[in-house]
Amino acid sequence: MLYFKCYTLQTTIEDQQVAIAGREQGEIHALLAKTTSEAAVHLDENGKVLYVNPTFVRMFGYKGKEVAKKTVNKLFTQRSQDRFKQKISVCLKDGERSASNLRALTKKGQQLPVRVTVIPHRWHGDPAAMVLIRDLTEQLKITEELESVKSSYSALSETVADPILQINENFQIIFANTAVERVFGFTPNELLGKDFSALFPSSVHNRYEEVFKKYFVIDDADRKASQLENTIEVLGQNKNSDIVPLEISFGNSKSVQGERLVTCIIRDISQRKITERKLKYLVYHDKLTDLGNRDLFYITLEQFISHVKRYQDTIGAVLFLDLDGFKKVNDTLGHNIGDILLCSCARRLSSCLRESDHVYRFSAELDTNHGSHEDLFRFGGDEFVILLTHLEKPTDAAVVAQKIIDTIRRPYRVEGVDPSTKTNIGVSVGIALIPQNGLDAMQLIKHADMAMYKAKERGNRYMFFTSELNKQASERLFLENGIRKALDQKVFELHYQPIVGVNGFIEGVEALLRWHDRKRGFISPVDFIPVAEETGLILPLGDWVFETACQQLKTWNTEGFEDLYVSINLSVKQFSQEHIVDKLSRVITGTGIKSKNLKIEITESSIMPDPNEARMKMEELKKRHPGIRIAIDDFGTGYSSLSYLSDLPVDILKIDQSFVINMSKKGNAKIINTIITLGNSLFMDVIAEGVETKNQLEYLISKSCKSFQGFYFGKPVSVTALTQLLKTDKQPLVQT
Ligand code: C2E
Ligand code: MG
Ligand code: MG
């Protein structure tokens, strides 16, 4: 029996080590036969074969006995033989291990690429060598195939005009073709190692990061099931930080090491987006006027309707417009002139609207497509539709409609048309309110159309779909026109209501507007002041009030009532005028009144939009006219934000009459007490308005209120009546 003392056999296959100690030769050879896929040849110190394993027999075609005790030179081609011989001799002589690629020769004369490893060891105390031969044919074939795939892949990726990137699991770019430079401005080398996020604006990347990650975990095959598209459209960013719309297709693969990779084919879709936008524009706009068309109108209306459904307090309106007299112009002056006029109308209509509102034209060409549909068939060439989306109240729609009527009515100048030729065009407007008159697009347009037909009966007017609103709107129109006329014809008057001190004597008066219409009789400022405010007519009206009241004050002051003051109301719009202080100042100086005899009343709604600006105006007024006093009118009904109050140079709080009149109503007495306490602690005077009864007065006095105004002392009266009252005011107006 032969024993190895110590035998270490090292195979080359993946550096696997097999340590064998003290085994029998047969056992070793059996192990070699089993464990290795390489041919094994065991050589003695003379280079003669001691053993070959079954793989050798299969690989070379020689039987064991054909090579036993022979040298193995003939196992290699001529050129490889020399290198092999040299390696064996170095191994046996110096005990050096080596490995090299050689060409083997089989019994049949077939050449094989092989990896030969020569391992020295001791055999019965003498040098010996174990030769392991691995057939590289398959491996070389795979390498060649891989090389060919690699070169086709790189040829392919270079041929494609779109950028191709490969990203690893850490979102690092590990491959980029040259096309990346055209789209992103980075060279492929600049991109290698960069994070994928470098190709997107950070906001976009943050939004899409989770989506991108999904492409790593969901295989191509499973995308459909998880509703993940193969491509996404997203905004990218180039080297100069310009935004580029991109379409990215994702594909999964694995690296040789088994790491997941994602290949992205990226397409710059800027051009496509521009074309899409152009196309969309063409599809949704009227060719002649450039206004939105019927389709765009319905889309926008549907969107607005869902908005209204969600946000309950939103109101809007559909205005259906039909030009009056257009057909005549078109027939007499020709279609070209008709078209020019339609464009002018479209421009005028747009000028009447806010940016959020839109005007549409349902052009005649489109109508023929819908010819069979009765409702739509009637939309003709001179019909427009407007969608108003920001109304505070229904009557605001009437204000826009009236503006449109006035604007369309103005004469048109058309090039090539004799200016003396009449191009009179008017417009009839039907209004359907959203949601009041419907929450369905077709229904709304139908209702607006019906209202338009009613308006058309007389032409150049608007009509609401419901009669109640028509009444409100015509009332508003009456007030607006009436204020204008009344201002022109000097119909307005000022009445004055006494303000009484705690001793019962009149200390001042509040100037209150009075409008007596010949037909309608007395019209309350509660009704007409808001309309004057909305239309801006409050400005000339307010100027007149201020000037008239100051003149009257001067008269009274010089007539012997030198300490009497006048309190004048300033509306929100008046007070918000940039040069209001200059304006008031001119009148104060002009009339020569003493500023200590003047009080200004403003409401909290004048202060709240910009308390800082309000403060500056008040301070400036007081600086120019020391002694002038500022009151907050209707105190307690406003925003109740008291924090601003201590910051403002306010002298007086006027408790709103509603608290005093309804003093017995729960909570009102408490509110009154609070206002009086607040006034006292801020060193402000408090005037109680709406004092109608002795009880009310007594209560207010018991709470240390010092000034009062109300029917108990006197209603607002004419100058003559008030002068009379002042003259008889030798006795207190009321004995307390
Ligand atoms: P205001 O400034 O709070 O004026 C007091 C209102 O209360 C006046 O109503 C007055 O007649 C009424 N009043 C006074 N005492 C009593 C009372 O004991 N019982 C009742 N039930 N009412 C009383 P008026 O004159 O109808 O004015 C209403 C509002 O119109 C005023 O409220 C003010 O906001 C506005 N206004 C009136 N004139 C002018 C003006 O010249 N300019 C501006 N901007 N607004 C004015
Ligand atoms: Mg007032
Ligand atoms: Mg008041």
Side-chain angles (χ1 to χ4, degrees):
M1 281 275 186
L2 288 168
Y3 286 96
F4 288 108
K5 275 195 188 125
C6 178
Y7 190 105
T8 304
L9 176 64
Q10 239 184 328
T11 72
T12 53
I13 305 167
E14 287 146 14
D15 287 334
Q16 174 193 357
Q17 286 204 341
V18 184
I20 309 154
R23 302 246 177 110
E24 283 182 45
Q25 182 190 5
E27 204 179 324
I28 294 295
H29 288 161
L31 184 72
L32 272 174
K34 250 199 286 175
T35 56
T36 175
S37 59
E38 297 171 67
V41 184
H42 194 185
L43 299 179
D44 68 11
E45 62 184 320
N46 301 314
K48 303 267 171 66
V49 174
L50 288 170
Y51 168 79
V52 290
N53 70 352
T55 314
F56 173 87
V57 176
R58 270 198 306 279
M59 198 186 289
F60 284 87
Y62 291 111
K63 291 204 176 100
K65 55 185 177 204
E66 288 180 86
V67 288
K69 298 204 173 107
K70 290 188 183 147
T71 57
V72 286
N73 294 349
K74 66 173 180 184
L75 297 182
F76 298 97
T77 60
Q78 195 59 51
R79 273 182 66 193
S80 291
Q81 267 181 34
D82 299 339
R83 286 175 62 200
F84 179 69
K85 266 192 251 166
Q86 195 202 346
K87 283 185 186 298
I88 289 293
S89 81
V90 172
C91 173
L92 293 172
K93 214 160 96 220
D94 304 337
E96 227 171 70
R97 180 182 191 276
S98 67
S100 53
N101 288 356
L102 300 174
R103 288 196 81 77
L105 199 61
T106 66
K107 193 178 170 185
K108 284 190 176 155
Q110 187 194 357
Q111 291 192 15
L112 298 175
V114 288
R115 177 85 176 160
V116 178
T117 310
V118 182
I119 306 157
H121 64 95
R122 307 294 295 173
W123 181 252
H124 298 298
D126 296 325
M130 181 62 75
V131 180
L132 297 171
I133 305 165
R134 183 152 50 104
D135 184 355
L136 296 179
T137 314
E138 266 316 298
Q139 194 185 326
L140 283 182
K141 216 165 106 195
I142 291 169
T143 314
E144 269 165 28
E145 271 170 16
L146 271 177
E147 280 303 319
S148 135
V149 168
K150 204 170 140 194
S151 85
S152 336
Y153 184 77
S154 95
L156 200 69
S157 68
E158 290 311 321
T159 330
V160 174
D162 295 328
I164 298 179
L165 295 178
Q166 217 167 27
I167 318 160
N168 68 13
E169 279 177 328
N170 304 322
F171 273 82
Q172 248 178 356
I173 298 171
I174 56 163
F175 171 82
N177 67 351
T178 47
V180 289
E181 194 166 359
R182 194 179 46 77
V183 174
F184 293 106
F186 292 108
T187 62
N189 274 341
E190 282 176 313
L191 279 185
L192 293 186
K194 269 205 164 61
D195 198 275
F196 190 47
S197 62
L199 303 178
F200 305 92
S202 56
S203 59
V204 173
H205 189 264
N206 292 346
R207 209 148 22 98
Y208 280 89
E209 199 173 2
E210 286 310 309
V211 180
F212 290 151
K213 276 184 188 160
K214 283 189 187 155
Y215 287 95
F216 279 87
V217 290
I218 300 174
D219 284 327
D220 300 358
D222 297 332
R223 283 192 197 157
K224 271 247 151 61
S226 52
Q227 291 185 323
L228 195 64
E229 299 287 335
N230 279 344
T231 55
I232 57 168
E233 281 188 15
V234 64
L235 291 179
Q237 177 177 267
N238 66 15
K239 199 176 179 180
N240 299 330
S241 304
D242 299 328
I243 301 294
V244 198
L246 303 172
E247 183 189 81
I248 309 180
S249 314
F250 294 91
N252 290 104
S253 58
K254 276 205 171 127
S255 72
V256 187
Q257 290 79 27
E259 188 193 21
R260 264 177 181 277
L261 299 177
V262 165
T263 303
C264 306
I265 301 181
I266 301 173
R267 179 159 293 179
D268 174 354
I269 52 170
S270 321
Q271 208 48 46
R272 186 166 93 198
K273 286 281 153 199
I274 294 170
T275 317
E276 271 174 16
R277 225 170 291 141
K278 275 191 197 154
L279 262 176
K280 202 167 165 189
Y281 190 86
L282 285 178
V283 169
Y284 288 117
H285 287 82
D286 169 49
K287 266 190 243 125
L288 177 67
T289 58
D290 227 17
L291 296 176
N293 64 15
R294 179 205 309 265
D295 293 334
L296 186 59
F297 167 71
Y298 278 111
I299 290 170
T300 325
L301 179 58
E302 295 287 3
Q303 280 168 357
F304 182 66
I305 288 173
S306 20
H307 178 86
V308 173
K309 283 179 182 163
R310 231 174 317 135
Y311 303 98
Q312 303 285 321
D313 50 357
T314 313
I315 42 173
V318 172
L319 271 55
F320 199 110
L321 279 62
D322 188 280
L323 297 182
D324 301 328
F326 176 75
K327 195 176 174 306
K328 202 169 142 209
V329 173
N330 211 24
D331 292 347
T332 51
L333 298 176
H335 291 289
N336 285 348
I337 302 294
D339 283 355
I340 294 171
L341 276 173
L342 278 178
C343 291
S344 303
C345 287
R347 275 194 300 276
R348 286 189 190 186
L349 289 174
S350 302
S351 75
C352 293
L353 303 177
R354 297 203 296 188
E355 225 159 77
S356 53
D357 301 326
H358 290 288
V359 52
Y360 304 85
R361 176 172 179 256
F362 298 170
S363 64
E365 297 144 71
L366 273 175
D367 299 333
T368 49
N369 298 335
H370 298 277
S372 59
H373 196 301
E374 244 225 340
D375 288 323
L376 299 175
F377 185 68
R378 284 191 279 114
F379 293 130
D382 61 348
E383 287 173 345
F384 297 88
V385 171
I386 289 173
L387 177 63
L388 301 176
T389 55
H390 284 90
L391 298 181
E392 269 174 30
K393 51 187 181 319
T395 44
D396 288 351
V399 176
V400 179
Q402 189 57 49
K403 195 168 160 196
I404 286 170
I405 292 166
D406 297 339
T407 311
I408 292 291
R409 229 185 205 159
R410 290 197 330 256
Y412 292 80
R413 265 171 184 240
V414 183
E415 220 178 300
V417 175
D418 182 352
S420 64
T421 311
K422 285 205 169 146
T423 47
N424 284 344
I425 291 181
V427 64
S428 300
V429 184
I431 306 170
L433 289 169
I434 316 167
Q436 290 88 331
N437 299 151
L439 271 172
D440 169 85
M442 293 305 287
Q443 196 185 36
L444 279 165
I445 198 80
K446 198 168 154 187
H447 287 169
D449 188 24
M450 282 162 72
M452 187 278 290
Y453 263 77
K454 260 196 275 166
K456 197 99 188 148
E457 285 165 15
R458 279 167 53 190
N460 266 325
R461 59 185 312 210
Y462 62 82
M463 282 300 247
F464 279 95
F465 177 65
T466 50
S467 55
E468 178 51 34
L469 276 162
N470 280 328
K471 233 190 271 162
Q472 276 179 33
S474 64
E475 169 69 7
R476 199 193 167 286
L477 190 65
F478 163 80
L479 288 176
E480 185 181 336
N481 293 335
I483 296 169
R484 248 190 217 108
K485 240 195 280 166
L487 256 173
D488 272 0
Q489 299 170 356
K490 302 195 174 14
V491 173
F492 285 111
E493 257 186 280
L494 279 185
H495 277 196
Y496 296 88
Q497 184 177 28
I499 299 171
V500 175
V502 81
N503 54 12
F505 287 105
I506 297 174
E507 52 186 36
V509 290
E510 178 175 0
L512 293 158
L513 257 172
R514 291 293 173 261
W515 177 14
H516 195 90
D517 182 69
R518 258 192 308 129
K519 280 192 212 137
R520 289 269 296 267
F522 175 76
I523 300 169
S524 167
V526 176
D527 296 327
F528 72 81
I529 294 277
V531 178
E533 193 58 20
E534 272 169 36
T535 51
L537 287 167
I538 193 71
L539 299 183
L541 188 55
D543 289 348
W544 177 83
V545 169
F546 194 73
E547 174 128 26
T548 312
C550 283
Q551 275 164 359
Q552 186 56 49
L553 174 67
K554 179 74 188 167
T555 313
W556 277 323
N557 285 165
T558 45
E559 274 178 358
F561 312 107
E562 60 241 29
D563 290 328
L564 184 83
Y565 68 78
V566 167
S567 203
I568 305 174
N569 294 286
L570 286 193
S571 79
V572 176
K573 212 171 225 162
Q574 257 178 300
F575 191 68
S576 72
Q577 292 173 97
E578 197 186 339
H579 301 295
I580 180 67
V581 175
D582 293 338
K583 218 173 190 183
L584 300 181
S585 199
R586 261 198 307 275
V587 179
I588 296 168
T589 318
T591 49
I593 54 166
K594 288 189 206 128
S595 35
K596 75 170 181 58
N597 287 345
L598 182 63
K599 282 185 185 176
I600 305 285
E601 294 188 16
I602 55 172
T603 53
E604 286 170 279
S605 34
S606 286
I607 298 164
M608 285 327 284
D610 191 345
N612 204 32
E613 194 184 308
R615 183 177 47 78
M616 288 197 307
K617 282 178 178 168
M618 292 179 189
E619 280 169 355
E620 179 60 22
L621 189 65
K622 289 187 148 197
K623 202 169 106 199
R624 291 199 209 173
H625 306 285
I628 200 167
R629 278 169 296 169
I630 298 171
I632 299 192
D633 202 359
D634 307 340
F635 192 76
T637 57
Y639 301 83
S640 317
S641 163
L642 301 179
S643 56
Y644 68 88
L645 202 60
S646 58
D647 239 18
L648 293 172
V650 167
D651 308 278
I652 304 153
L653 301 180
K654 291 189 82 171
I655 306 176
D656 189 70
Q657 47 165 290
S658 60
F659 301 117
V660 180
I661 294 169
N662 306 307
M663 196 182 269
S664 51
K665 206 171 123 197
K666 200 167 167 255
N668 279 354
K670 274 196 187 137
I671 293 175
I672 293 171
N673 296 350
T674 310
I675 297 176
I676 296 172
T677 316
L678 180 76
N680 289 342
S681 58
L682 292 174
F683 304 105
M684 292 175 185
D685 291 339
V686 177
I687 300 178
E689 285 190 273
V691 183
E692 292 184 344
T693 66
K694 194 159 190 240
N695 278 350
Q696 289 164 353
L697 178 66
E698 280 168 359
Y699 179 80
L700 288 161
I701 291 173
S702 76
K703 293 293 165 192
S704 314
C705 184
K706 302 210 170 52
S707 303
F708 318 93
Q709 183 181 348
F711 296 170
Y712 185 63
F713 305 102
K715 291 194 168 175
V717 288
S718 66
V719 172
T720 328
L722 198 99
T723 311
Q724 199 55 40
L725 200 62
L726 287 172
K727 282 182 182 157
T728 55
D729 190 33
K730 299 286 180 244
Q731 292 295 312
L733 269 186
V734 61
Q735 310 287 332
T736 57

mmCIF file of all heavy atoms in Angstrom, residues 2 17 52 77 87 130 155 171 308-309 313 332 341 357 381 415 417 521 545 608 656 713:
data_model
loop_
_atom_site.group_PDB
_atom_site.id
_atom_site.type_symbol
_atom_site.label_atom_id
_atom_site.label_comp_id
_atom_site.label_asym_id
_atom_site.label_seq_id
_atom_site.Cartn_x
_atom_site.Cartn_y
_atom_site.Cartn_z
ATOM 1 N N LEU A 2 0.522 2.177 -0.843
ATOM 2 C CA LEU A 2 1.291 3.433 -0.893
ATOM 3 C C LEU A 2 0.507 4.516 -0.170
ATOM 4 O O LEU A 2 -0.702 4.615 -0.307
ATOM 5 C CB LEU A 2 1.505 3.844 -2.344
ATOM 6 C CG LEU A 2 2.493 2.989 -3.130
ATOM 7 C CD1 LEU A 2 2.382 3.325 -4.588
ATOM 8 C CD2 LEU A 2 3.901 3.173 -2.621
ATOM 9 N N GLN A 17 -9.716 24.854 -3.348
ATOM 10 C CA GLN A 17 -8.584 24.113 -2.763
ATOM 11 C C GLN A 17 -9.072 22.787 -2.213
ATOM 12 O O GLN A 17 -10.080 22.714 -1.541
ATOM 13 C CB GLN A 17 -7.978 24.919 -1.632
ATOM 14 C CG GLN A 17 -7.176 26.093 -2.174
ATOM 15 C CD GLN A 17 -6.128 26.530 -1.179
ATOM 16 O OE1 GLN A 17 -6.230 26.201 -0.001
ATOM 17 N NE2 GLN A 17 -5.137 27.233 -1.673
ATOM 18 N N VAL A 52 -4.146 8.856 -15.210
ATOM 19 C CA VAL A 52 -5.023 9.831 -15.884
ATOM 20 C C VAL A 52 -6.449 9.553 -15.402
ATOM 21 O O VAL A 52 -6.793 8.407 -15.125
ATOM 22 C CB VAL A 52 -4.960 9.741 -17.427
ATOM 23 C CG1 VAL A 52 -3.636 10.216 -17.958
ATOM 24 C CG2 VAL A 52 -5.283 8.344 -17.918
ATOM 25 N N THR A 77 0.005 20.666 -29.269
ATOM 26 C CA THR A 77 0.488 21.008 -30.618
ATOM 27 C C THR A 77 1.973 21.329 -30.511
ATOM 28 O O THR A 77 2.477 21.580 -29.406
ATOM 29 C CB THR A 77 -0.250 22.232 -31.184
ATOM 30 O OG1 THR A 77 -0.017 23.317 -30.299
ATOM 31 C CG2 THR A 77 -1.750 22.000 -31.335
ATOM 32 N N LYS A 87 7.505 24.061 -18.556
ATOM 33 C CA LYS A 87 6.760 24.218 -17.307
ATOM 34 C C LYS A 87 6.929 22.984 -16.430
ATOM 35 O O LYS A 87 7.096 23.077 -15.216
ATOM 36 C CB LYS A 87 5.266 24.465 -17.584
ATOM 37 C CG LYS A 87 5.063 25.890 -18.019
ATOM 38 C CD LYS A 87 3.627 26.235 -18.197
ATOM 39 C CE LYS A 87 3.503 27.628 -18.785
ATOM 40 N NZ LYS A 87 4.072 28.676 -17.923
ATOM 41 N N MET A 130 1.137 17.226 -10.742
ATOM 42 C CA MET A 130 -0.251 16.953 -11.110
ATOM 43 C C MET A 130 -0.613 17.983 -12.184
ATOM 44 O O MET A 130 -0.467 19.192 -11.980
ATOM 45 C CB MET A 130 -1.158 17.117 -9.886
ATOM 46 C CG MET A 130 -2.609 16.843 -10.153
ATOM 47 S SD MET A 130 -2.914 15.157 -10.674
ATOM 48 C CE MET A 130 -2.732 14.276 -9.142
ATOM 49 N N ALA A 155 -23.078 49.137 -30.881
ATOM 50 C CA ALA A 155 -23.372 49.687 -32.210
ATOM 51 C C ALA A 155 -24.819 50.156 -32.263
ATOM 52 O O ALA A 155 -25.126 51.236 -32.760
ATOM 53 C CB ALA A 155 -23.126 48.625 -33.270
ATOM 54 N N PHE A 171 -29.231 53.772 -8.302
ATOM 55 C CA PHE A 171 -29.642 54.885 -9.174
ATOM 56 C C PHE A 171 -28.452 55.621 -9.783
ATOM 57 O O PHE A 171 -28.550 56.786 -10.140
ATOM 58 C CB PHE A 171 -30.545 55.878 -8.413
ATOM 59 C CG PHE A 171 -31.991 55.472 -8.471
ATOM 60 C CD1 PHE A 171 -32.473 54.520 -7.605
ATOM 61 C CD2 PHE A 171 -32.837 55.997 -9.415
ATOM 62 C CE1 PHE A 171 -33.784 54.106 -7.665
ATOM 63 C CE2 PHE A 171 -34.153 55.599 -9.488
ATOM 64 C CZ PHE A 171 -34.632 54.643 -8.618
ATOM 65 N N VAL A 308 -68.147 73.882 -8.676
ATOM 66 C CA VAL A 308 -69.284 74.432 -7.928
ATOM 67 C C VAL A 308 -69.887 73.368 -7.011
ATOM 68 O O VAL A 308 -70.269 73.645 -5.878
ATOM 69 C CB VAL A 308 -70.368 74.973 -8.896
ATOM 70 C CG1 VAL A 308 -71.625 75.404 -8.148
ATOM 71 C CG2 VAL A 308 -69.814 76.146 -9.688
ATOM 72 N N LYS A 309 -69.922 72.127 -7.510
ATOM 73 C CA LYS A 309 -70.482 71.044 -6.694
ATOM 74 C C LYS A 309 -69.636 70.827 -5.446
ATOM 75 O O LYS A 309 -70.136 70.487 -4.391
ATOM 76 C CB LYS A 309 -70.545 69.748 -7.502
ATOM 77 C CG LYS A 309 -71.708 69.738 -8.478
ATOM 78 C CD LYS A 309 -71.711 68.448 -9.265
ATOM 79 C CE LYS A 309 -72.822 68.412 -10.293
ATOM 80 N NZ LYS A 309 -72.611 67.394 -11.297
ATOM 81 N N ASP A 313 -70.258 77.552 -2.006
ATOM 82 C CA ASP A 313 -70.616 78.966 -2.109
ATOM 83 C C ASP A 313 -70.118 79.636 -3.389
ATOM 84 O O ASP A 313 -70.186 80.851 -3.522
ATOM 85 C CB ASP A 313 -70.152 79.738 -0.860
ATOM 86 C CG ASP A 313 -68.695 79.443 -0.544
ATOM 87 O OD1 ASP A 313 -68.119 78.607 -1.268
ATOM 88 O OD2 ASP A 313 -68.156 80.046 0.392
ATOM 89 N N THR A 332 -75.822 93.570 -46.213
ATOM 90 C CA THR A 332 -75.633 94.772 -47.026
ATOM 91 C C THR A 332 -74.154 95.049 -47.323
ATOM 92 O O THR A 332 -73.817 95.473 -48.415
ATOM 93 C CB THR A 332 -76.256 96.017 -46.350
ATOM 94 O OG1 THR A 332 -75.764 96.062 -45.016
ATOM 95 C CG2 THR A 332 -77.762 95.969 -46.335
ATOM 96 N N LEU A 341 -66.221 92.689 -38.539
ATOM 97 C CA LEU A 341 -67.041 93.152 -37.410
ATOM 98 C C LEU A 341 -67.112 92.123 -36.291
ATOM 99 O O LEU A 341 -67.024 92.452 -35.114
ATOM 100 C CB LEU A 341 -68.452 93.473 -37.896
ATOM 101 C CG LEU A 341 -68.605 94.871 -38.480
ATOM 102 C CD1 LEU A 341 -69.979 95.041 -39.085
ATOM 103 C CD2 LEU A 341 -68.376 95.935 -37.401
ATOM 104 N N ASP A 357 -62.555 84.882 -16.644
ATOM 105 C CA ASP A 357 -63.781 84.659 -17.414
ATOM 106 C C ASP A 357 -63.431 84.483 -18.894
ATOM 107 O O ASP A 357 -62.426 85.000 -19.349
ATOM 108 C CB ASP A 357 -64.732 85.847 -17.241
ATOM 109 C CG ASP A 357 -65.101 86.045 -15.780
ATOM 110 O OD1 ASP A 357 -65.209 85.036 -15.076
ATOM 111 O OD2 ASP A 357 -65.249 87.201 -15.355
ATOM 112 N N GLY A 381 -73.481 82.110 -36.478
ATOM 113 C CA GLY A 381 -72.210 82.817 -36.573
ATOM 114 C C GLY A 381 -72.106 84.046 -35.700
ATOM 115 O O GLY A 381 -71.008 84.492 -35.405
ATOM 116 N N GLU A 415 -62.277 99.586 -41.869
ATOM 117 C CA GLU A 415 -61.495 100.088 -42.999
ATOM 118 C C GLU A 415 -62.206 99.751 -44.310
ATOM 119 O O GLU A 415 -62.706 98.619 -44.475
ATOM 120 C CB GLU A 415 -60.121 99.414 -42.981
ATOM 121 C CG GLU A 415 -59.014 100.400 -43.353
ATOM 122 C CD GLU A 415 -57.670 99.722 -43.280
ATOM 123 O OE1 GLU A 415 -57.326 99.254 -42.168
ATOM 124 O OE2 GLU A 415 -57.033 99.648 -44.332
ATOM 125 N N VAL A 417 -64.938 100.979 -45.280
ATOM 126 C CA VAL A 417 -66.384 101.243 -45.224
ATOM 127 C C VAL A 417 -66.572 102.734 -44.945
ATOM 128 O O VAL A 417 -65.955 103.282 -44.020
ATOM 129 C CB VAL A 417 -67.068 100.413 -44.110
ATOM 130 C CG1 VAL A 417 -68.541 100.795 -44.004
ATOM 131 C CG2 VAL A 417 -66.919 98.939 -44.389
ATOM 132 N N GLY A 521 -90.207 108.254 -4.405
ATOM 133 C CA GLY A 521 -90.233 108.780 -3.038
ATOM 134 C C GLY A 521 -88.889 108.574 -2.352
ATOM 135 O O GLY A 521 -87.853 108.481 -3.014
ATOM 136 N N VAL A 545 -70.837 115.050 -0.394
ATOM 137 C CA VAL A 545 -71.261 114.977 1.010
ATOM 138 C C VAL A 545 -70.246 115.712 1.890
ATOM 139 O O VAL A 545 -70.603 116.556 2.718
ATOM 140 C CB VAL A 545 -71.407 113.510 1.486
ATOM 141 C CG1 VAL A 545 -71.573 113.438 3.003
ATOM 142 C CG2 VAL A 545 -72.575 112.842 0.793
ATOM 143 N N MET A 608 -59.662 96.837 7.630
ATOM 144 C CA MET A 608 -59.149 95.472 7.565
ATOM 145 C C MET A 608 -58.319 95.116 6.338
ATOM 146 O O MET A 608 -57.340 94.406 6.474
ATOM 147 C CB MET A 608 -60.306 94.465 7.717
ATOM 148 C CG MET A 608 -60.813 94.351 9.124
ATOM 149 S SD MET A 608 -59.552 94.586 10.377
ATOM 150 C CE MET A 608 -58.732 93.001 10.248
ATOM 151 N N ASP A 656 -72.869 99.813 17.314
ATOM 152 C CA ASP A 656 -73.852 99.672 16.249
ATOM 153 C C ASP A 656 -75.274 99.671 16.814
ATOM 154 O O ASP A 656 -75.548 99.069 17.859
ATOM 155 C CB ASP A 656 -73.624 98.378 15.474
ATOM 156 C CG ASP A 656 -74.504 98.327 14.240
ATOM 157 O OD1 ASP A 656 -74.226 99.121 13.316
ATOM 158 O OD2 ASP A 656 -75.484 97.555 14.234
ATOM 159 N N PHE A 713 -83.765 110.983 20.805
ATOM 160 C CA PHE A 713 -83.378 112.410 20.827
ATOM 161 C C PHE A 713 -83.838 113.135 19.566
ATOM 162 O O PHE A 713 -84.118 114.315 19.582
ATOM 163 C CB PHE A 713 -81.860 112.553 20.933
ATOM 164 C CG PHE A 713 -81.295 111.812 22.115
ATOM 165 C CD1 PHE A 713 -80.668 110.586 21.954
ATOM 166 C CD2 PHE A 713 -81.400 112.350 23.389
ATOM 167 C CE1 PHE A 713 -80.170 109.904 23.042
ATOM 168 C CE2 PHE A 713 -80.891 111.664 24.479
ATOM 169 C CZ PHE A 713 -80.283 110.437 24.320
#
